[in-house]
Amino acid sequence: MSQYQVSQAVWRDFLAQHADGGVIAATVTRVLPFGALVELPPGVPGLLSRPAWTAEAEAGERVEVRIASLDVENRRVSVVPA
């Protein structure tokens, strides 16, 4: 399993706790030109896109984010600053 594939059990637990959105503490894992990849709970990556996020961050930094959208079928999470 690649680092960006979410196991079924981890994904199921994440949805049970966060399907209705809400604010989550996340860790920036990688900064890219189009935004930042963040890890929500361990094993659940999210994308904080550049248009929604203007602050600079570094890998390892903790940020507060809100779930913007969930792609349940593809196990993808988009987040915005909280």
Side-chain angles (χ1 to χ4, degrees):
M1 182 179 324
S2 86
Q3 82 181 75
Y4 298 113
Q5 290 178 319
V6 180
S7 76
Q8 184 173 355
V10 170
W11 182 247
R12 184 181 58 242
D13 291 346
F14 177 77
L15 287 178
Q17 295 175 8
H18 303 289
D20 60 347
V23 175
I24 302 171
T27 302
V28 175
T29 57
R30 194 167 174 201
V31 177
L32 302 165
F34 55 84
L37 296 177
V38 297
E39 185 172 47
L40 302 161
V44 179
L47 175 63
L48 180 58
S49 68
R50 180 62 69 182
W53 172 63
T54 56
E56 291 301 318
E58 296 181 11
E61 186 175 334
R62 297 284 288 169
V63 293
E64 294 286 317
V65 296
R66 184 177 307 279
I67 296 171
S69 67
L70 290 169
D71 180 346
V72 176
E73 184 175 319
N74 294 305
R75 298 182 185 172
R76 294 186 179 169
V77 182
S78 294
V79 296
V80 295

